[in-house]
Amino acid sequence: MARGRRGFDPDVALQPTNTFHVGFWFNDLADAVSCAFTGPPTPFNGELQAGPLAFITRPNAVAGLGPLCTKPDTFRAGRRKSGRI
């Protein structure tokens, strides 16, 4: 990622994030009505009008990283946790 650039679309200006977790969103707000969701749309589909988060993985208790990080760096205890794929 180029320095100073956030996300892939400069008009959206998303903060960079790790991709060690897996999440699933409802594609449409109407799909989540039966789950009692009445909140605002989330930006997680092509129209930036998705429903709420339906599922997300939990972090590893030791490394604090998601399951897609297959080699967490647990050596640096007390420091910021990092990982590599």
Side-chain angles (χ1 to χ4, degrees), residues 61-84:
V62 175
L65 298 168
L68 296 181
C69 180
T70 59
K71 296 180 182 179
D73 180 0
T74 57
F75 178 72
R76 296 184 233 168
R79 293 185 187 171
R80 183 178 174 187
K81 294 172 180 146
S82 65
R84 55 191 168 93

Side-chain angles (χ1 to χ4, degrees), residues 35 49 54 56 58 62-64 71 73 77 82 85:
C35 298
Q49 296 290 309
I56 193 161
R58 291 182 173 209
V62 175
K71 296 180 182 179
D73 180 0
S82 65
I85 296 178

Side-chain angles (χ1 to χ4, degrees), residues 1-43:
M1 177 182 272
R3 200 175 268 214
R5 185 173 165 199
R6 297 177 186 242
F8 295 104
D9 184 346
D11 294 334
V12 177
L14 295 174
Q15 293 291 326
T17 186
N18 77 51
T19 55
F20 299 143
H21 287 282
V22 176
F24 297 95
W25 283 259
F26 288 92
N27 185 51
D28 189 300
L29 290 171
D31 296 338
V33 169
S34 64
C35 298
F37 179 75
T38 59
T42 59

